[in-house]
């Protein structure tokens, strides 16, 4: 009797198992029929299922050159209930970080950053971004309208308590005036309804633009997106090369917001295995991308450029963001890693790395040769 | 078949109805016109036996506020029971969309092509092609917005088995979207048979494109006059067509083919979703009843410029589209003219309207070509 039930169940699971033969993403690489059979009838306490988590990866086979993640979390518990799939995906995506036996360090003490002021003849702007999720509320792929509105309420309430250089204002997407909208577009702050199928297939665009909005301080150096790809995306930026000040404001702002929500009985999703919990497994740990727009016309034409970046644990993008091309020799250079190193470590990596790149550029300007630095250690 | 739970519905009950109620202030679709906070409160804790919820029904209408000129439906069914469990919403939507069709009304099904009068001689100098399409759903399976991969594959397998048994002029072949060769794909494109992954946000928001292209395919007969789409917007879309104006032959093949397919499914223990109130049950409430669109591509360069063209079509219960399909423009004075109704009239009645209406339009076109008036040809409201 038991054997019949088991084989019946396995038969049903195999009838449901997705066809991943043409797929190239982290989910497809790690979802075996056995893991699927084990997890397919499980659900998180909120009711989120494996099929929901992997839907975006089933619907988007990927690209032969870019390996996407191919799954999302619907809530904090997804990372536990579906650990058998998520842990190997995390390990693959985060270059060997094993959530089963490693701990992620969190460090938001900006005073530790050394040499954080770049040569402004090369660095045009500096920026640090991350995300934060509100514990107890489902994430964008799964949240109900009421939950999303609650995220908005909790966050906007807390942001209203920010003072000094962090004093600012919230612009709800459903209520902003045309003038406000135009200003936000001119400032390059406004975000649009997602069009990428990676996001829409995961259900993140449901009910748009309900409970979505943008908050920024009066000085336009601290910006928060509410209910876009994550509960919140937090961005600190300014023109020029003072990365240390950007990071200092970033840490101060984050800590203030955390303190303000804690006063009302809320907290951020975090644990020592995975750090800060976000929707996409690629953003776990620090969720941090610290970057600069920097002029490297000579270095970028050098055949060793990619290798130098790789050894410095940096990545390049065009100045329009991910998947854009560089214009006029100006590149967006940022950290590759997210998980397994602290915020301070990652920002220091960017500071040291960009300083090295600028040195290379200066040497090439003077007709001197440059060296490929030895590769940095993965986990410190 | 894997049970498809929707435990997230219980999560919503932690919040009040007011907290969950969608913001429909900028919306213009049938769902938004009908849904009230009271209705939402009454229905939100319900689900069909397969777990389809009110929010699942309305998600596409919440995500797509609509267009000021075109009134979209804004809700879909996830299974046959959706139309029962969410009656309070679906009935008024159906009434609005289908010209006052009441919850107590009965729908007549008539797939006997012999009952059609004439229709074999629409003037081929004007009528370039004739086509009849409908949809069918297999009872016991969830519909495209909600079905699991296993269900979708089971529908595909059943369809292939049944369609493979067709013979005579209906004998044909199935092309699975995920297995077709480049050559097969090109041929299907050249024949205008190939359907693409939906891009319309109306469809994407309801979940119909999940797992594409798994379980999807196209079957057609060797003569290329009878075509079945599997697992696109509905379980099955069935199309009969040919060049020229012999609508009668197109409709006869349509009825014969559908009747045969139905009996082949029955042989395998499956029937189509149908009831005497809603007729054939399909994913979108706009396709209930017959699900039938019978149409022609017809040259009407003069009539279409007449000031009463719109009024004439309305009286004849016909609608116009460009020859690229819905939302396209007419090219070279050639229009796609088809029945406007789906529910409350039988298949024969609807095709009769198209036959009679197109014959009248062609007569009008000939009059206007000759510089004569068409005032005496103006029809009464059908």
């Amino acid at each position: 009797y038991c054997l019949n039930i088991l084989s019946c169940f396995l038969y049903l699971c195999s009838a449901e198992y997705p066809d991943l033969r043409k797929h190239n993403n982290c989910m497809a690489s790690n979802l075996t029929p056995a893991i699927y059979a084990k997890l397919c009838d499980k659900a998180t306490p909120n009711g989120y299922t494996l099929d929901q988590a992997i839907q975006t990866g089933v619907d988007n086979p990927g690209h032969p050159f870019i390996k996407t993640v191919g799954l999302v979390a619907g809530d904090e518990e997804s990372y536990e209930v579906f650990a058998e799939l998520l842990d190997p995906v995390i390990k693959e995506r985060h270059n060997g970080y094993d959530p089963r036996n490693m701990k992620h360090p969190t460090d938001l003490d900006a005073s530790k950053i050394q040499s954080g002021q770049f040569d402004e003849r090369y660095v045009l702007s500096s920026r640090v971004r991350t995300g934060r999720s509100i514990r107890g509320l489902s994430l964008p792929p799964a949240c109900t309208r009421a939950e999303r509105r609650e995220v908005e309420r909790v966050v906007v309430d807390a942001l209203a308590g920010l003072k000094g250089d962090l004093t600012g204002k919230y612009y709800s997407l459903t209520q902003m005036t045309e003038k406000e909208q135009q200003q936000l577009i001119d400032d390059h702050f406004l975000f649009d309804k997602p069009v990428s199928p990676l996001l829409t297939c995961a259900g993140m665009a449901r009910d748009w633009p309900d409970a979505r909005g943008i908050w920024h301080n009066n000085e336009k150096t601290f910006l928060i997106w509410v209910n876009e790809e994550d509960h919140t995306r937090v961005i600190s930026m300014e023109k020029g090369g003072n990365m240390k000040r950007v990071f200092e404001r970033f840490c101060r702002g984050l800590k203030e917001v955390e303190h303000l929500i804690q006063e009302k009985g809320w907290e951020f999703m975090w644990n020592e295995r995975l750090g800060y919990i976000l929707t996409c497994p690629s953003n776990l740990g620090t969720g941090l991308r610290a970057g600069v727009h920097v002029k490297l016309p000579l270095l970028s034409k050098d055949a060793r450029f990619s290798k130098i970046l790789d050894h410095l644990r940096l990545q390049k993008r065009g100045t329009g963001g991910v998947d854009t091309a560089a214009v006029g020799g100006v590149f967006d250079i940022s950290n590759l890693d997210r998980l397994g190193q602290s915020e301070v470590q990652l920002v220091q990596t960017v500071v040291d790395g960009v300083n090295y790149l600028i040195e290379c550029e200066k040497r090439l300007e003077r007709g001197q040769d440059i060296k490929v630095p030895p590769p940095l250690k993965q986990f410190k | 078949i894997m049970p498809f739970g929707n435990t997230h519905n219980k999560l919503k009950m932690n919040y009040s109805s007011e907290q969950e109620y969608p913001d429909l202030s900028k919306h213009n679709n049938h769902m938004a016109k009908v849904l009230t906070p009271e209705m939402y409160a009454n229905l939100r804790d319900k689900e069909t036996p397969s777990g389809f919820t009110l929010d699942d029904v309305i998600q596409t209408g919440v995500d797509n506020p609509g267009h000021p000129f075109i009134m979209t439906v804004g809700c879909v069914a996830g299974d046959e029971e959706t139309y029962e469990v969410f009656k309070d919403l679906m009935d008024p939507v159906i009434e609005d969309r289908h010209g006052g069709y009441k919850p107590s009304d009965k729908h007549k099904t008539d797939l006997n092509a012999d009952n059609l009068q004439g229709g074999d001689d629409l003037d081929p100098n004007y009528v370039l092609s004739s086509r009849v399409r409908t949809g069918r759903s297999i009872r016991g399976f969830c519909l495209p917005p909600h079905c699991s991969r296993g269900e979708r594959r089971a529908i595909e397998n059943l369809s292939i088995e049944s369609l493979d048994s067709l013979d005579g002029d209906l004998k044909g072949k199935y092309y699975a979207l995920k297995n077709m060769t480049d050559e097969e794909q090109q041929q299907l494109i050249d024949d205008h048979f190939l359907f693409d992954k939906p891009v319309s946000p109306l469809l994407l928001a309801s979940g119909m494109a999940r797992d594409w292209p798994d379980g999807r395919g196209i079957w057609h007969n060797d003569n290329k006059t009878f075509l079945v789409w599997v697992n696109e917007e509905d379980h099955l879309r069935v199309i009969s067509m040919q060049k020229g104006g012999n609508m009668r032959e197109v409709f006869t093949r349509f009825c014969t083919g559908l009747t045969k397919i139905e009996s082949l499914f029955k042989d395998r223990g499956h029937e189509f979703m149908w009831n005497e109130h809603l007729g054939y049950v399909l994913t979108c409430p706009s396709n209930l009843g017959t699900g039938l669109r019978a149409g022609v591509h017809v040259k009407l360069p003069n009539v279409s410029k007449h000031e009463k063209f719109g009024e004439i079509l309305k009286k004849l219960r016909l609608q116009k589209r460009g020859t690229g399909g819905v939302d396209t423009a007419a090219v070279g004075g050639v229009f796609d003219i088809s029945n406007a109704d789906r529910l409350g009239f039988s298949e024969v009645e609807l095709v009769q309207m198209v036959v009679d209406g197109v014959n009248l339009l062609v007569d009008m076109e000939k009059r206007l070509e000759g510089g004569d008036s068409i005032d005496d040809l103006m029809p009464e409201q059908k």
Side-chain angles (χ1 to χ4, degrees):
Chain A
Y1 180 70
C2 286
L3 207 57
N4 276 341
I5 292 286
L6 179 65
S7 56
C8 215
F9 184 71
L10 289 173
Y11 170 75
L12 290 176
C13 290
S14 66
E16 294 291 345
Y17 185 74
D19 182 351
L20 302 172
R21 288 171 298 170
K22 294 200 175 97
H23 287 59
N24 183 43
N25 57 51
C26 296
M27 179 279 290
S29 299
N30 290 284
L31 183 68
T32 62
I35 293 179
Y36 185 79
K38 192 151 182 209
L39 299 179
C40 69
D41 64 338
K42 310 249 175 311
T44 67
N46 292 331
Y48 197 67
T49 64
L50 179 72
D51 278 328
Q52 287 175 288
I54 67 172
Q55 190 68 62
T56 180
V58 175
D59 289 346
N60 297 289
H63 191 280
F65 306 142
I66 302 166
K67 197 159 185 186
T68 45
V69 176
L71 59 77
V72 292
D75 50 24
E76 189 166 6
E77 294 80 1
S78 295
Y79 287 101
E80 303 309 314
V81 175
F82 307 118
E84 223 150 317
L85 172 62
L86 273 150
D87 286 350
V89 165
I90 289 166
K91 192 169 176 189
E92 182 184 337
R93 177 58 178 222
H94 293 282
N95 303 300
Y97 181 87
D98 192 341
R100 282 174 279 219
N101 53 38
M102 288 161 97
K103 291 215 199 327
H104 170 80
T106 292
D107 186 354
L108 286 160
D109 181 358
S111 68
K112 293 181 183 159
I113 298 297
Q114 312 210 342
S115 313
Q117 168 71 61
F118 298 121
D119 187 334
E120 293 189 345
R121 288 173 297 174
Y122 297 86
V123 173
L124 307 177
S125 61
S126 308
R127 182 184 189 265
V128 182
R129 71 88 160 146
T130 189
R132 290 290 186 264
S133 311
I134 311 297
R135 176 162 279 159
L137 296 167
S138 301
L139 296 169
C143 65
T144 72
R145 275 184 297 273
E147 285 188 296
R148 200 185 295 111
R149 291 163 179 172
E150 185 73 342
V151 169
E152 186 187 37
R153 189 192 64 75
V154 168
V155 172
V156 171
D157 197 47
L159 294 171
L162 290 174
K163 299 185 173 42
D165 70 318
L166 295 178
T167 308
K169 186 177 168 185
Y170 180 68
Y171 302 87
S172 137
L173 248 59
T174 54
Q175 283 163 22
M176 65 174 66
T177 66
E178 300 234 335
K179 245 171 76 165
E180 287 168 338
Q181 184 172 308
Q182 195 52 53
Q183 186 61 56
L184 287 165
I185 291 173
D186 294 341
D187 290 329
H188 304 288
F189 285 174
L190 189 65
F191 60 86
D192 261 321
K193 179 171 178 175
V195 293
S196 162
L198 297 172
L199 301 179
T200 55
C201 291
M204 292 190 219
R206 287 170 304 127
D207 314 311
W208 202 274
D210 195 320
R212 272 83 168 191
I214 294 161
W215 180 99
H216 68 79
N217 66 347
N218 297 337
E219 296 173 22
K220 299 186 183 178
T221 54
F222 194 61
L223 167 69
I224 296 182
W225 289 351
V226 180
N227 285 319
E228 195 238 8
E229 279 184 54
D230 276 293
H231 282 175
T232 67
R233 283 290 180 91
V234 179
I235 303 153
S236 170
M237 76 267 232
E238 57 186 70
K239 293 262 180 255
N242 198 337
M243 179 60 90
K244 181 160 176 152
R245 186 166 65 200
V246 169
F247 186 52
E248 180 276 326
R249 183 188 315 114
F250 176 84
C251 295
R252 185 162 47 87
L254 274 172
K255 288 201 202 112
E256 254 311 290
V257 173
E258 182 162 27
H259 173 70
L260 288 161
I261 65 170
Q262 278 169 345
E263 276 181 351
K264 301 280 170 71
W266 298 91
E267 48 180 13
F268 291 143
M269 289 185 198
W270 180 93
N271 67 55
E272 56 174 13
R273 209 170 65 94
L274 299 174
Y276 288 102
I277 303 295
L278 293 177
T279 305
C280 182
S282 68
N283 282 321
L284 289 167
T286 60
L288 183 140
R289 192 170 94 85
V292 296
H293 284 185
V294 57
K295 289 196 262 198
L296 301 169
L298 298 175
L299 179 59
S300 58
K301 292 200 196 74
D302 191 292
R304 295 163 286 186
F305 185 42
S306 287
K307 192 162 183 190
I308 293 171
L309 288 174
D310 191 62
H311 283 199
L312 293 173
R313 306 294 311 156
L314 297 176
Q315 67 175 195
K316 72 180 198 304
R317 301 179 181 190
T319 52
V322 67
D323 296 330
T324 64
V327 175
V330 181
F331 286 81
D332 176 315
I333 303 289
S334 64
N335 52 295
L336 263 175
D337 302 303
R338 303 271 183 273
L339 173 65
Q341 293 188 64
S342 73
E343 290 81 353
V344 165
Q345 286 169 330
L346 291 176
V347 173
Q348 192 64 59
T349 299
V350 173
V351 165
D352 296 345
V354 169
N355 277 330
Y356 190 89
L357 295 173
I358 292 171
E359 262 315 297
C360 288
E361 184 70 21
K362 285 175 174 168
R363 290 180 71 88
L364 290 172
E365 277 171 20
R366 297 192 291 259
Q368 292 170 312
D369 197 20
I370 57 173
K371 269 213 280 261
V372 174
L376 286 179
K377 243 177 24 163
Q378 290 277 30
F379 300 116
K380 299 195 172 132
Chain B
I1 303 302
M2 189 66 80
F4 208 77
N6 244 325
T7 49
H8 67 260
N9 207 37
K10 300 189 178 39
L11 171 67
K12 283 175 204 154
M13 300 313 293
N14 293 329
Y15 296 90
S16 74
S17 185
E18 290 77 25
Q19 288 171 316
E20 287 291 352
Y21 192 71
D23 179 354
L24 301 173
S25 51
K26 298 202 171 90
H27 288 59
N28 184 47
N29 56 51
H30 286 293
M31 178 279 290
K33 288 207 126 69
V34 164
L35 188 69
T36 63
E38 294 72 32
M39 195 188 283
Y40 186 82
N42 286 336
L43 295 178
R44 72 182 189 119
D45 62 340
K46 311 224 177 324
E47 42 189 75
T48 66
S50 79
F52 204 63
T53 67
L54 178 67
D55 281 320
D56 292 330
V57 173
I58 67 174
Q59 190 68 57
T60 179
V62 174
D63 289 348
N64 296 288
H67 192 279
F69 307 141
I70 301 168
M71 188 79 153
T72 45
V73 176
C75 57
V76 291
D79 51 24
E80 190 166 9
E81 294 79 3
T82 300
Y83 289 100
E84 266 310 303
V85 174
F86 302 110
K87 253 178 110 41
D88 291 349
L89 171 69
M90 296 306 235
D91 281 350
V93 165
I94 289 166
E95 191 164 341
D96 266 355
R97 178 61 175 217
H98 293 283
Y101 192 79
K102 304 221 171 334
S104 53
D105 285 342
K106 303 255 183 288
H107 171 82
K108 204 169 39 153
T109 293
D110 183 358
L111 282 160
N112 185 350
D114 291 338
N115 291 338
L116 183 70
Q117 309 205 354
D120 55 348
D121 59 356
L122 301 174
D123 191 335
N125 292 315
Y126 295 84
V127 177
L128 307 176
S129 60
S130 307
R131 181 186 189 266
V132 182
R133 71 90 157 147
T134 188
R136 290 290 186 265
S137 310
I138 318 298
R139 179 162 280 163
F141 292 93
C142 292
L143 296 169
H146 192 49
C147 66
S148 70
R149 277 183 294 274
E151 285 186 292
R152 203 185 294 110
R153 291 162 178 172
I155 291 161
E156 185 191 30
N157 288 335
L158 269 171
S159 303
I160 294 171
E161 262 185 54
S162 307
L163 295 168
D164 275 352
S165 311
L166 290 172
D167 59 10
D169 78 315
L170 293 178
K171 183 168 172 323
K173 186 177 168 187
Y174 183 71
Y175 303 87
L177 247 58
K178 65 179 182 178
N179 289 339
M180 63 176 69
T181 65
D182 280 353
E183 245 185 53
E184 286 169 338
Q185 184 171 304
Q186 195 52 53
Q187 186 61 57
L188 288 165
I189 290 172
D190 295 340
D191 291 328
H192 304 289
F193 284 175
L194 188 64
F195 60 86
D196 259 322
K197 179 170 176 176
V199 293
S200 163
L202 298 171
L203 301 179
L204 296 176
S206 70
M208 289 189 221
R210 288 171 302 127
D211 314 312
W212 203 275
D214 198 319
R216 275 86 167 186
I218 293 162
W219 180 96
H220 70 78
N221 66 347
D222 298 335
N223 296 339
K224 298 186 184 179
T225 54
F226 195 67
L227 168 68
V228 179
W229 288 351
V230 179
N231 286 320
E232 194 236 11
E233 279 185 52
D234 279 292
H235 287 171
L236 304 172
R237 282 289 179 94
V238 178
I239 304 152
S240 169
M241 74 267 236
Q242 65 195 54
K243 294 256 180 260
N246 197 339
M247 179 62 90
R248 187 184 189 85
E249 194 170 80
V250 170
F251 185 54
T252 304
R253 181 187 313 113
F254 176 83
C255 295
T256 308
L258 268 176
T259 312
K260 285 216 170 99
I261 293 172
E262 182 161 21
S263 87
L264 288 165
F265 269 92
K266 283 210 173 116
D267 288 346
R268 287 160 182 79
H270 294 274
E271 44 181 15
F272 291 148
M273 290 183 198
W274 180 95
N275 65 61
E276 60 175 6
H277 167 52
L278 296 177
Y280 288 102
V281 176
L282 294 177
T283 303
C284 182
S286 69
N287 282 320
L288 291 166
T290 60
L292 184 139
R293 193 171 91 87
V296 297
H297 283 185
V298 57
K299 289 196 261 198
L300 300 172
N302 292 296
V303 174
S304 58
K305 292 202 196 75
H306 195 281
E307 56 175 5
K308 293 216 164 114
F309 185 43
E311 196 186 305
I312 293 166
L313 289 175
K314 193 150 184 261
K315 293 222 155 87
L316 295 173
R317 307 195 72 90
L318 299 177
Q319 66 176 201
K320 73 182 198 306
R321 302 179 181 191
T323 50
V326 67
D327 296 331
T328 64
V331 175
V334 181
F335 286 80
D336 176 316
I337 301 290
S338 64
N339 53 295
D341 302 294
R342 303 275 182 271
L343 173 65
F345 298 91
S346 75
E347 289 82 354
V348 166
E349 283 169 344
L350 292 176
V351 178
Q352 193 69 66
M353 277 186 224
V354 173
V355 163
D356 297 346
V358 170
N359 272 332
L360 181 62
L361 287 168
V362 170
D363 285 346
M364 286 177 166
E365 181 67 25
K366 289 171 175 168
R367 283 277 194 94
L368 292 173
E369 267 175 29
D372 296 322
S373 147
I374 56 170
D375 291 345
D376 61 312
L377 292 177
M378 287 296 160
E380 294 292 310
Q381 178 65 55
K382 284 203 172 311

